[in-house]
Amino acid sequence: GHREAHELAARISGQRTDALAWRVTASRRTADNFLPFDGEPGEKIERSVANLQVVYQPTVRDELRLQAGATTGFNLSGAVGDLSNPFGKTQIRSNYLQLGWTRTLAPESELSLEYHHQDHGNRKSWIIPYGGVDAHTDQDLESRRDDIELQFSHRLSPAWHILAGAGVRHDSTTSMRYFSTGKTYGGTQWQVFSSLTWKPSERWAVNLGGNLEHHYFSGDLFSPRIAVNYALDNHASLRASTGISYRAPQAWESRSFETVSLNGQVLAIGYWAALPLEPERVRFIELGFAGRVAPLSLELDARFFREAYDNYIDDQACRFSRGTCS
């Protein structure tokens, strides 16, 4: 393809039976994302990917699912002469695993258990000349996440439906460059959530939901939501919703202290999360339409919304060079 894009992919699927289905895919891709320009060498990427998917139904009520994958490759990028991100190769590695079990208890009632794992690593190093000596620095980063979640849904009556669940997640991040220490940052968080739907008639549906979580950086957070839907016909509906949600800061945003050092002496400071961050909060209201406009043969999903943010987190909010944190 254009810009030296080359891709090779293969897929193998097992013969599907009533109980088992599986598929394996693998691919390799290389491309020049940016061509050399104005003295810069451009950018090149390479990725090798493998994925496995398995679905197994040991009984008519149970289903087991497995998905796993791995990616390796590199980015050849950066700017010539840039001390913070010089041109060079960044090695990339990532893996994931998902395991799931679902049991059907009734036509509109089921119990499910999910486990997710993912890990990611970057490797890039270079030399910075400083005062007649060479300072070694890198952008190495290792991160990992493990999550397990239990969920139950049940039709209470023709007019009422409930969903409830709980989950626990553990995050960890390690980077000498970004934290100036070999310490691992992160922690364990938990959440419980529920959603209740009431249909007083064929056209109206009201949904109440909430999520209570405890985050290792931000403490206890509660996110409520209410939504109302009105069906115009079998193919179109109006909706209105409002609520509050939160985004807790990541380790990079809340704990980073990026330095370049030589023999224990700090030569330069980059991004410094000088003060702990409050969680980002958004309050929203939405009016929308979803459905088919038959005279125009058009499928339409449109909405009018307003979002108000507090404690908005961006990459300039807490920098050492700005001297403020708000």
Side-chain angles (χ1 to χ4, degrees), residues 20 72 87 156 191 210 321:
L20 180 66
T72 61
F87 182 76
L156 299 172
Q191 64 176 357
S321 58

Side-chain angles (χ1 to χ4, degrees), residues 27-306:
S27 65
R28 184 177 184 274
R29 181 174 183 267
T30 62
D32 291 339
N33 285 348
F34 299 100
L35 299 178
F37 176 76
D38 195 24
E40 294 295 333
E43 178 182 281
K44 181 180 180 66
I45 66 165
E46 179 183 299
R47 295 289 188 275
S48 297
V49 182
N51 291 289
L52 168 67
Q53 292 178 296
V54 179
V55 178
Y56 178 56
Q57 293 181 294
T59 71
V60 294
R61 295 200 302 164
D62 295 290
E63 180 180 274
L64 302 173
R65 299 175 303 278
L66 181 151
Q67 295 188 56
T71 300
T72 61
F74 66 82
N75 293 341
L76 190 60
S77 61
V80 175
D82 189 330
L83 297 183
S84 63
N85 185 30
F87 182 76
K89 182 179 290 187
T90 302
Q91 298 288 345
I92 295 173
R93 168 199 55 77
S94 62
N95 305 287
Y96 76 91
L97 171 67
Q98 297 181 9
L99 299 173
W101 167 68
T102 300
R103 163 157 284 197
T104 301
L105 305 173
E108 293 185 78
S109 177
E110 69 176 29
L111 179 68
S112 65
L113 181 66
E114 300 273 351
Y115 167 75
H116 303 266
H117 165 84
Q118 62 185 49
D119 60 79
H120 180 83
N122 285 355
R123 292 284 185 273
K124 182 178 181 179
S125 61
W126 64 94
I127 299 297
I128 297 179
Y130 185 86
V133 298
D134 291 334
H136 177 272
T137 188
D138 61 59
Q139 285 183 339
D140 293 357
L141 174 68
E142 291 286 341
S143 63
R144 172 174 175 148
R145 170 172 292 177
D146 292 276
D147 181 277
I148 187 168
E149 183 176 287
L150 180 68
Q151 182 172 289
F152 170 73
S153 63
H154 181 64
R155 171 67 62 185
L156 299 172
S157 70
W160 295 90
H161 182 273
I162 190 172
L163 180 148
V168 179
R169 189 181 83 194
H170 183 77
D171 298 330
S172 63
T173 303
T174 306
S175 175
M176 180 64 72
R177 167 66 184 271
Y178 296 121
F179 302 111
S180 298
T181 175
K183 179 181 176 180
T184 296
Y185 286 96
T188 300
Q189 73 173 83
W190 57 260
Q191 64 176 357
V192 291
F193 55 89
S194 184
S195 175
L196 182 66
T197 301
W198 174 46
K199 292 195 67 174
S201 69
E202 287 296 320
R203 291 186 178 273
W204 288 97
V206 180
N207 178 266
L208 294 173
N211 180 73
L212 175 64
E213 64 178 311
H214 179 85
H215 192 272
Y216 45 85
F217 284 153
S218 301
D220 296 333
L221 303 171
F222 178 66
S223 303
R225 181 180 184 272
I226 181 172
V228 178
N229 286 266
Y230 178 74
L232 300 173
D233 54 37
N234 292 334
H235 305 289
S237 64
L238 300 174
R239 67 180 181 272
S241 65
T242 185
I244 300 173
S245 62
Y246 293 88
R247 183 178 80 83
Q250 303 173 7
W252 159 255
E253 297 163 329
S254 187
R255 297 294 187 270
S256 63
F257 182 42
E258 185 182 8
T259 63
V260 177
S261 302
L262 178 65
N263 298 327
Q265 179 183 358
V266 176
L267 305 181
I269 297 177
Y271 191 101
W272 182 8
L275 296 173
L277 292 177
E278 295 294 323
E280 181 178 294
R281 182 179 70 173
V282 57
R283 291 168 291 179
F284 67 90
I285 185 170
E286 173 187 289
L287 301 174
F289 168 86
R292 179 170 37 163
V293 184
L296 301 177
S297 299
L298 178 67
E299 296 284 345
L300 181 64
D301 189 343
R303 66 182 183 131
F304 170 81
F305 66 93
R306 182 180 186 274

